[in-house]
Amino acid sequence: GTMCLGLISARTGHYVGAATQADYYLMRSEEDGKESPKEMDNLVAALEKADSLGVNIASISLGYSVFDNEAWDFGYADMNGQTTRCSQAAQIAARKGMLVCVAAGNEGNKEWHYLTAPADADSILCVGAVDRDSVVASFSSRGPCSDGRVKPDVCAVGEGSCIIQPSDGSIQYGNGTSFACPLIAGMAACVWSALPDLNAMEIRRRIICSADRYHNPDADYGYGI
């Protein structure tokens, strides 16, 4: 449909994302087939590397709460922005001047229900998912943080998102806060390009203040779409 045609660049004839002139570093911190706290250390290292490279915006579609060994598991009380090392790292990156966007998680209709680390970090943009009718996705992880801060921060389309299948380049549709998060990161890049004199925290604040529930946030949408 016409929504997909908008992904074709007139300049190159190729598909483009939300920030058409962005340059990227791709960092893989996950280890397939297992879920252990080591992956949080990998994410910390990735953020440190990104900072050393001068990265402006990080888009992180990862979340940690329970692991293969239940002795390593976190509880909701740990989602306070301070307990997990990956949330501490996300906060440090944000305070160093990086705009850190993190997917809220896909636990909303599961036993865990709440956001996962590092989406609980302070000074970042935790992104929840809505559908194209602006209704929060059932799977989108809910807030607030265990210390009472509003989460998610904002929402974007993450249910029925238009995506490119890497294997063959075909158009498909997918569900997940992992698709909502890069949309906000891409929008932030565009806003920052238009307002280059602002810093990351000012860009974050403008995005939050422009959301549709800014004056009445809740645990489903945060400050809104």
Side-chain angles (χ1 to χ4, degrees):
T2 54
M3 179 181 174
C4 298
L5 294 176
L7 294 169
I8 302 293
S9 167
R11 181 170 59 87
T12 66
H14 297 134
Y15 294 117
V16 295
T20 57
Q21 301 299 314
D23 295 314
Y24 296 90
Y25 291 105
L26 302 179
M27 300 183 187
R28 179 176 175 177
S29 61
E30 279 287 275
E31 297 183 4
D32 282 349
K34 53 188 172 182
E35 193 79 352
S36 80
K38 180 186 175 185
E39 293 175 302
M40 293 190 295
D41 294 330
N42 295 344
L43 179 54
V44 173
L47 283 166
E48 289 177 336
K49 182 68 172 180
D51 178 54
S52 74
L53 292 167
V55 166
N56 302 110
I57 299 171
S59 179
I60 302 172
S61 289
L62 300 170
Y64 300 101
S65 56
V66 297
F67 300 95
D68 296 339
N69 183 340
E70 64 181 23
W72 300 331
D73 289 357
F74 295 120
Y76 172 62
D78 297 315
M79 299 298 114
N80 57 15
Q82 299 297 323
T83 299
T84 71
R85 45 193 179 269
C86 62
S87 296
Q88 293 171 12
Q91 182 187 70
I92 292 169
R95 293 183 176 180
K96 280 179 167 287
M98 197 183 305
L99 185 59
V100 181
C101 303
V102 182
N106 302 327
E107 308 296 325
N109 54 4
K110 299 176 184 176
E111 183 179 358
W112 176 266
H113 184 69
Y114 295 105
L115 74 164
T116 52
D120 62 329
D122 189 20
S123 306
I124 68 160
L125 284 174
C126 165
V127 185
V130 296
D131 66 17
R132 296 189 209 178
D133 294 321
S134 301
V135 177
V136 67
S138 62
F139 59 77
S140 186
S141 285
R142 298 327 204 246
C145 289
S146 62
D147 61 345
R149 283 175 294 119
V150 172
K151 290 286 177 176
D153 292 300
V154 292
C155 288
V157 173
E159 183 172 356
S161 300
C162 189
I163 59 176
I164 305 299
Q165 178 64 30
S167 60
D168 61 8
S170 63
I171 292 287
Q172 295 191 7
Y173 295 87
N175 300 327
T177 57
S178 290
F179 301 140
C181 178
L183 285 178
I184 291 295
M187 183 188 74
C190 295
V191 173
W192 212 342
S193 294
L195 302 169
D197 294 334
L198 299 187
N199 62 37
M201 293 301 290
E202 291 168 329
I203 296 295
R204 175 184 181 269
R205 175 158 179 79
R206 289 199 177 209
I207 290 172
I208 288 174
C209 288
S210 72
D212 68 346
R213 295 170 186 251
Y214 174 66
H215 294 291
N216 190 28
D218 61 32
D220 296 333
Y221 296 85
Y223 292 104
I225 302 167

